Amino acid sequence: MRIGIWCDYGFTLEPSEGIGVFVDNLARGLVRADLQCTITMMSHPGQEYKLASTVAGGDGRIRVVSVPKLKQPQRFAVRWLKKVRQGLTPNAIDSTAAKPSSLVQFIDRRIAAFCKSQQQAVAERVDTCDVWLLPYVGLDQDIEKPTVVAIHDLVCYHFPDMLTPHKLERLKRLVHRVANRATIAACMSEFIRDNDLFGMLNLPAERVRVVKAAVPDDLVVDASSDKVSDEANSLPALGVDPQSPYLLYPAAFRSYKNHRYLIDALQQLRERSTENWKLIFTGIRRLPRDLKQQIQRLGLEADVQALGKVSRSQLEVLYCHAFATVVPSLYEQGSFPIMEALHCRCPVACSNIPSLCEQFAGMGASMMYFDPHDTSSLVHVIEKINANRSQVIAEQQEGFLSMQSHTWEDSARQWLRVLREATMLGDSIAAARASQRAA
């Protein structure tokens, strides 16, 4: 089977961050699970190099393609026309309307004219695959092939402050369009299926699938080996004091990720302990102003470090030497960082939200949960780990064994079943849509 994975969202989903970790592990798992499978990854133009590590792990069966950018005058005209279109009332651009307004039709025709050569190039590349996996639902591109869209969560619906009202409205239109056009919509959590795919999008059950997540396997350091101690010198290179115990949180700076909670918890820890506790964040962007102000108000400037974007190997070192990895998220499908930390034998604790309780149910009592709205709840957990950290590690590693038994090759086999199902359903859905258009 020829599988396409769409990684161009105005930037390329790369293996070191968020959904890109999912894409990287899945692509390599797919070619291991099916020796007849080939993968085509659509990159943002000029960023093909960002997928080099995925290609290298594909045994010659993963390739990267892109389409040329529009010339500058065309890009300017298209941006301007899209801005005008987005400024129209939602009713005027409702894709479910029987007939869009004449102005919308005119704008769409002009955009299509400017983008004609580019869209032809996209169509040629899309046609080389039997089915396309869309790892992110916010895609402004129609694909005339069977598609499986991965909807990790709809967190912006629940935390609308993430975006301006205008951007949120535009994203919702994209999400509904992509989700309703997709042959199959999939997620990796029953809670997200029920709360978002059914509850928010009202997708029909026959077009929804849940695929179990696996532990990312691109982290290769064995925390019990000598290699980790040899790499301890990487901590000073990152500006991290190896003598001070630190809590690690690898996450983008967004309100629902709940960074503020950890900063308040750090202050309580320092007040209740003689330990020189530190807090380390990693992420693509710089520390937001509101978090800087909170840190300054609490006098924690020397104790909270935002390292910015780190490589996967640097992240491994941070996991292996952290006192604990802590995830206080208020909403999301699941947490790769928790699984990555466990792989590196780092103690973990997370918020007691439904999706995370679902993801780590197999760990039983060894998994440590806390109330993400009550900082004293986390402080109690950290003190419990501190009282007997080696025992916590041993118990969590035992609980983690069941999760490790489900590999990305296993997960890829489930995704393959979904992708094959989409190719079979695709023809009948396309025929039905053609019949509707003709009517």
Side-chain angles (χ1 to χ4, degrees), residues 1-5 26-40 58-63 129-131 412-413 415-416 419-420:
M1 180 164 44
R2 302 172 302 170
I3 301 171
I5 303 181
L26 177 58
R28 291 183 292 105
L30 287 169
V31 296
R32 291 197 302 269
D34 183 353
L35 297 179
Q36 305 303 314
C37 167
T38 61
I39 308 291
T40 297
D59 195 26
R61 289 184 286 129
I62 299 178
R63 67 169 184 151
C129 296
D130 303 311
V131 60
R413 289 192 185 96
W415 282 104
L416 278 168
L419 291 162
R420 289 191 180 109

Side-chain angles (χ1 to χ4, degrees), residues 158-197:
H158 306 283
F159 292 83
D161 63 307
M162 290 174 57
L163 301 169
T164 64
H166 179 75
K167 288 184 177 179
L168 178 61
E169 183 61 34
R170 178 175 180 273
L171 178 60
K172 284 185 174 182
R173 289 198 297 267
L174 279 179
V175 168
H176 281 264
R177 178 179 175 82
V178 172
N180 284 294
R181 283 181 59 86
T183 313
I184 292 176
C187 64
M188 293 184 283
S189 162
E190 293 181 2
F191 170 78
I192 293 298
R193 177 198 60 192
D194 296 342
N195 209 47
D196 287 359
L197 278 67

Side-chain angles (χ1 to χ4, degrees), residues 5-14 19-20 23 42-45 47 132-141 143 148-150 152 170-171 174 178:
I5 303 181
W6 196 279
C7 298
D8 179 8
Y9 292 87
F11 58 90
T12 298
L13 298 174
E14 53 185 302
I19 296 175
V23 170
M42 179 67 80
S43 162
H44 191 64
Q47 296 183 353
W132 280 83
L133 173 69
L134 313 181
Y136 174 55
V137 69
L139 177 64
D140 191 8
Q141 172 69 55
I143 296 178
V148 174
V149 61
H152 300 275
R170 178 175 180 273
L171 178 60
L174 279 179
V178 172

Side-chain angles (χ1 to χ4, degrees), residues 387-426:
N388 199 338
R389 187 171 181 271
S390 59
Q391 181 179 340
V392 170
I393 292 174
E395 291 175 353
Q396 290 194 337
Q397 288 302 300
E398 183 177 352
F400 187 47
L401 286 174
S402 63
M403 296 191 71
Q404 288 176 302
S405 66
H406 181 75
T407 68
W408 269 102
E409 195 168 327
D410 297 324
S411 185
R413 289 192 185 96
Q414 296 179 11
W415 282 104
L416 278 168
R417 285 196 291 271
V418 174
L419 291 162
R420 289 191 180 109
E421 188 179 1
T423 60
M424 291 187 289
L425 291 173

Side-chain angles (χ1 to χ4, degrees), residues 247-277:
L247 307 180
L248 176 64
Y249 188 27
F253 291 113
R254 299 179 183 130
S255 61
Y256 72 94
K257 293 291 188 179
N258 208 14
H259 289 79
R260 296 182 64 86
Y261 174 90
L262 286 185
I263 296 170
D264 284 336
L266 177 65
Q267 183 195 35
Q268 288 191 31
L269 271 174
R270 292 183 65 86
E271 289 175 348
R272 293 166 57 117
S273 170
T274 58
E275 294 277 7
N276 188 27
W277 292 102

Side-chain angles (χ1 to χ4, degrees), residues 114-413:
F114 281 121
C115 297
K116 183 177 180 180
S117 62
Q118 188 182 52
Q119 288 304 305
Q120 287 176 339
V122 169
E124 290 172 1
R125 287 154 179 75
V126 165
D127 201 44
T128 63
C129 296
D130 303 311
V131 60
W132 280 83
L133 173 69
L134 313 181
Y136 174 55
V137 69
L139 177 64
D140 191 8
Q141 172 69 55
D142 290 340
I143 296 178
E144 300 302 326
K145 280 282 186 178
T147 58
V148 174
V149 61
I151 304 179
H152 300 275
D153 54 47
L154 296 178
V155 67
C156 62
Y157 285 54
H158 306 283
F159 292 83
D161 63 307
M162 290 174 57
L163 301 169
T164 64
H166 179 75
K167 288 184 177 179
L168 178 61
E169 183 61 34
R170 178 175 180 273
L171 178 60
K172 284 185 174 182
R173 289 198 297 267
L174 279 179
V175 168
H176 281 264
R177 178 179 175 82
V178 172
N180 284 294
R181 283 181 59 86
T183 313
I184 292 176
C187 64
M188 293 184 283
S189 162
E190 293 181 2
F191 170 78
I192 293 298
R193 177 198 60 192
D194 296 342
N195 209 47
D196 287 359
L197 278 67
F198 292 160
M200 304 301 295
L201 298 180
N202 296 311
L203 294 177
E206 62 269 20
R207 290 180 46 239
V208 172
R209 306 290 182 272
V210 177
V211 180
K212 185 179 177 182
V215 180
D217 63 8
D218 61 312
L219 298 182
V220 297
V221 172
D222 179 356
S224 63
S225 72
D226 294 335
K227 183 177 179 182
V228 174
S229 59
D230 292 341
E231 291 183 347
N233 290 332
S234 296
L235 288 179
L238 287 167
V240 177
D241 179 5
Q243 304 304 317
S244 296
Y246 62 87
L247 307 180
L248 176 64
Y249 188 27
F253 291 113
R254 299 179 183 130
S255 61
Y256 72 94
K257 293 291 188 179
N258 208 14
H259 289 79
R260 296 182 64 86
Y261 174 90
L262 286 185
I263 296 170
D264 284 336
L266 177 65
Q267 183 195 35
Q268 288 191 31
L269 271 174
R270 292 183 65 86
E271 289 175 348
R272 293 166 57 117
S273 170
T274 58
E275 294 277 7
N276 188 27
W277 292 102
K278 304 288 185 181
L279 179 58
I280 293 180
F281 299 138
T282 69
I284 297 175
R285 296 178 177 83
R286 295 179 179 179
L287 197 68
R289 179 180 299 179
D290 63 320
L291 294 184
K292 285 183 180 178
Q293 293 173 342
Q294 181 189 10
I295 291 167
Q296 291 170 353
R297 185 176 69 254
L298 298 176
L300 297 174
E301 293 95 326
D303 305 310
V304 180
Q305 293 177 264
L307 301 183
K309 183 178 179 179
V310 298
S311 68
R312 294 292 280 172
S313 59
Q314 289 171 326
L315 184 58
E316 280 183 331
V317 173
L318 289 168
Y319 281 135
C320 290
H321 294 280
F323 174 84
T325 295
V326 183
V327 175
S329 181
L330 298 173
Y331 197 93
E332 58 186 312
Q333 174 178 249
S335 176
F336 281 148
I338 292 176
M339 292 194 290
E340 293 166 353
L342 286 166
H343 173 78
C344 295
R345 298 184 63 83
C346 175
V348 295
C350 69
S351 52
N352 57 1
I353 59 176
S355 56
L356 295 184
C357 291
E358 174 191 338
Q359 183 181 8
F360 299 104
M363 291 186 63
S366 69
M367 187 63 196
M368 293 191 164
Y369 298 101
F370 55 84
D371 181 349
H373 301 285
D374 178 7
T375 52
S376 64
S377 174
L378 173 59
V379 171
H380 174 72
V381 165
I382 297 303
E383 290 175 340
K384 184 176 179 181
I385 296 174
N386 199 30
N388 199 338
R389 187 171 181 271
S390 59
Q391 181 179 340
V392 170
I393 292 174
E395 291 175 353
Q396 290 194 337
Q397 288 302 300
E398 183 177 352
F400 187 47
L401 286 174
S402 63
M403 296 191 71
Q404 288 176 302
S405 66
H406 181 75
T407 68
W408 269 102
E409 195 168 327
D410 297 324
S411 185
R413 289 192 185 96

